[in-house]
Amino acid sequence: MTINCLQSLKPPSDRRIAIHITLPAQRSIRSGHPWLFDNAITKQSHNGNPGDLAILYDHNRKFLAIGIYDPFSPIRVRLLQHRKPAQIDRQWFLSKIETAAKRRKPLATTGTNGYRLVHGENDGLPGLVADFYAEALVVKIYTPAWVPHLANIVPAMTEALPSKRIVLRMSRSCCARPEFLYGLEDGQSLLGPPLETTVIFKENGLLFEADLVKGQKTGFFLDQRENRARVEKLSSGKNVLNVFSYTGGFTLYAARGGASSVTSLDISRTAIAGLKRNIKLNLSNERIANCQYEYITEDAFRAMEQLARTDRKYGMVIIDPPAFAKKREEVTDALKAYSKLVTLGLRLLRKGGVLVMASCSARVKPDEFFRMVFTTAENGGRRLIETERSEHALDHPISFPEGAYLKCLFARG
Ligand code: SAH
């Protein structure tokens, strides 16, 4: 199997960029933080291209860290190694990826072959995630700074975790810099032939398809696996409303848990079509075959409002919206949107039913999110009794404060 087109990518410059930084940034980097922001730079040897290696120094010209440079991002340097210098080569990447793979070993016994292998900064590779689906790996880069290093990373990945195929996905900000992508395209195969179909993988014994080339994120929201398993345990005999269902992760678990019906709601037609196929894949399970399904392809706020007007009530309401706050300035509006969803969700929840409310906005801190849910309920005259609050699964480790993005509340209301 040959690795496609990576040899023609321009390697990083041999000339490393020397960067001096402010005292507060020195403290932050010393504590192991993976980002250096542009406004913390006091002196820089020269400008570089995305992916050139940058070395950070303190005010005594002492080495602090080494990382990859991105002239277009406010996160000017994403740090790879702190404290002591390193040769950033294939061997260096291999050791990071092997450590990450070892961390995920316990998943092998759970009927799961779709999981996150590399969780960006939290596994030491800031701005890069790698998700494994059965036999295919999706490498998603969030900065063009990774492009010059792919020729080292991709072979290291195949060595650490044999896969038949590697698909490259790139964030919007990455695609916006075609001059530094050297012809690479979102969704192209870096290893193996182009992917023309979806891939089927297993999560806790359930089968799901994922569109690795065009699907949202890398094809599936692998971070919700454990929350889905929690839903399965709580859904017996209930009619369930799954809001922001995407391709039905929560829907299938609720059905396997014995839900009498599941209504799945998502604005995306493609997501609902995928959801229907995912149900078909699992019909050998009797409970999944016996569950009643309803689909609503619409804006969640509007559809929930309409459902509430018809006086529909559910025994469980799951709300897992997309990230509402990508920037700090968006947090207030995000909290308002979450609060609106809680209000609508509670109007649709039967007394004593289960509310599952998730947020994946890193900018919204867990405490303020959970507080918002309770305050909203109280203001609406509804008492919520918390049964559980969950954060990250083992394949989505957290190694720095901004890495804690996912939170989910389970409550009876
Ligand atoms: N719960 C899902 C993941 C949800 S991701 C899972 O377990 O896999 C967020 C989903 O919200 C996406 O599928 C997206 O299509 C959908 N979405 C975004 N905006 C929406 C809106 N206004 N109304 C309904 N769905 C929306």
Side-chain angles (χ1 to χ4, degrees):
M1 190 93 55
T2 56
I3 292 178
N4 310 329
C5 66
L6 293 180
Q7 302 321 321
S8 58
L9 300 177
K10 196 166 173 266
S13 166
D14 288 336
R15 205 172 148 218
R16 295 178 168 195
I17 307 167
I19 292 180
H20 291 258
I21 62 176
T22 61
L23 282 173
Q26 291 178 29
R27 269 196 297 279
S28 151
I29 300 299
R30 274 212 181 85
S31 76
H33 201 282
W35 297 337
L36 177 77
F37 286 96
D38 53 352
N39 58 13
I41 297 178
T42 52
K43 208 165 88 192
Q44 183 173 332
S45 61
H46 60 280
N47 284 324
N49 283 329
D52 285 351
L53 291 164
I55 304 191
L56 309 191
Y57 294 98
D58 73 4
H59 58 289
N60 289 323
R61 299 173 157 268
K62 234 181 109 206
F63 175 95
L64 284 171
I66 181 165
I68 46 172
Y69 183 77
D70 181 347
F72 308 111
S73 168
I75 305 179
R76 192 54 43 92
V77 184
R78 289 173 168 84
L79 297 164
L80 301 176
Q81 177 153 316
H82 294 72
R83 287 180 279 280
K84 55 177 200 295
Q87 196 67 35
I88 305 299
D89 52 15
R90 184 178 302 191
Q91 199 51 42
W92 187 91
F93 287 118
L94 179 62
S95 96
K96 287 278 158 191
I97 297 161
E98 279 178 340
T99 306
K102 214 178 276 167
R103 218 176 203 171
R104 276 82 179 163
K105 277 261 162 69
L107 288 174
T109 56
T110 63
T112 297
N113 64 6
Y115 58 87
R116 177 150 296 184
L117 171 68
V118 174
H119 187 41
E121 317 13 40
N122 308 284
D123 280 304
L125 300 178
L128 180 147
V129 307
D131 286 346
F132 188 66
Y133 293 91
E135 52 186 34
L137 196 60
V138 184
V139 175
K140 180 153 184 178
I141 55 173
Y142 289 82
T143 158
W146 279 115
V147 170
H149 300 277
L150 289 175
N152 279 333
I153 292 169
V154 171
M157 294 229 170
T158 49
E159 197 175 330
L161 188 76
S163 30
K164 288 203 175 141
R165 203 187 287 274
I166 296 188
V167 175
L168 176 70
R169 297 293 303 268
M170 294 187 279
S171 68
R172 217 170 292 158
S173 62
C174 200
C175 293
R177 299 284 168 194
E179 68 276 32
F180 294 105
L181 303 180
Y182 308 102
L184 289 177
E185 282 175 17
D186 185 36
Q188 89 172 67
S189 283
L190 297 180
L191 177 75
L195 192 56
E196 270 145 21
T197 57
T198 52
V199 165
I200 292 172
F201 70 99
K202 245 189 319 183
E203 192 187 85
N204 287 322
L206 285 168
L207 293 172
F208 289 101
E209 64 159 46
D211 185 342
L212 310 191
V213 174
K214 293 203 205 86
Q216 297 187 36
K217 300 278 175 188
T218 63
F220 200 71
F221 291 86
L222 298 166
D223 54 358
Q224 288 287 20
R225 183 182 59 253
E226 293 185 352
N227 288 331
R228 294 187 190 114
R230 291 182 175 97
V231 157
E232 176 172 4
K233 291 204 183 105
L234 298 166
S235 56
S236 176
K238 294 194 169 68
N239 60 337
V240 175
L241 175 65
N242 179 13
V243 187
F244 304 100
S245 66
Y246 190 49
T247 54
F250 283 106
T251 300
L252 266 300
Y253 278 76
R256 191 171 67 174
S260 52
S261 71
V262 187
T263 302
S264 307
L265 161 56
D266 200 284
I267 202 164
S268 156
R269 224 170 265 289
T270 326
I272 295 288
L275 186 155
K276 291 180 183 170
R277 288 194 296 275
N278 282 334
I279 292 173
K280 280 210 183 110
L281 284 175
N282 292 282
L283 286 177
S284 61
N285 178 293
E286 215 169 298
R287 287 175 167 183
I288 291 175
N290 290 336
C291 182
Q292 300 289 313
Y293 300 96
E294 197 186 333
Y295 313 96
I296 307 175
T297 313
E298 225 202 285
D299 169 66
F301 293 86
R302 193 166 337 136
M304 288 172 89
E305 193 83 60
Q306 276 162 3
L307 287 171
R309 260 189 256 124
T310 62
D311 240 11
R312 282 277 284 268
K313 300 275 182 213
Y314 296 87
M316 180 188 276
V317 176
I318 303 160
I319 306 175
D320 178 25
F324 286 150
K326 299 226 162 93
K327 303 190 198 119
R328 195 166 304 144
E329 309 84 82
E330 292 168 352
V331 169
T332 310
D333 283 347
L335 284 167
K336 277 191 202 143
Y338 285 128
S339 173
K340 177 90 192 138
L341 289 172
V342 172
T343 304
L344 288 166
L346 288 176
R347 276 174 67 191
L348 290 163
L349 187 71
R350 179 171 306 140
K351 227 177 165 358
V354 176
L355 176 73
V356 181
M357 180 73 207
S359 159
C360 61
S361 304
R363 295 282 181 188
V364 175
K365 299 288 156 232
D367 279 354
E368 62 184 338
F369 175 72
F370 293 125
R371 206 176 320 120
M372 173 280 305
V373 180
F374 287 108
T375 313
T376 304
E378 249 170 62
N379 291 346
R382 192 93 179 241
R383 214 167 92 78
L384 275 183
I385 299 168
E386 175 173 337
T387 51
E388 199 173 352
R389 57 177 80 182
S390 68
E391 292 183 358
H392 284 218
L394 108 149
D395 54 335
H396 290 72
I398 304 171
S399 75
F400 71 124
E402 294 86 339
Y405 69 95
L406 186 65
K407 47 260 169 212
C408 187
L409 180 78
F410 292 74
R412 289 198 180 269

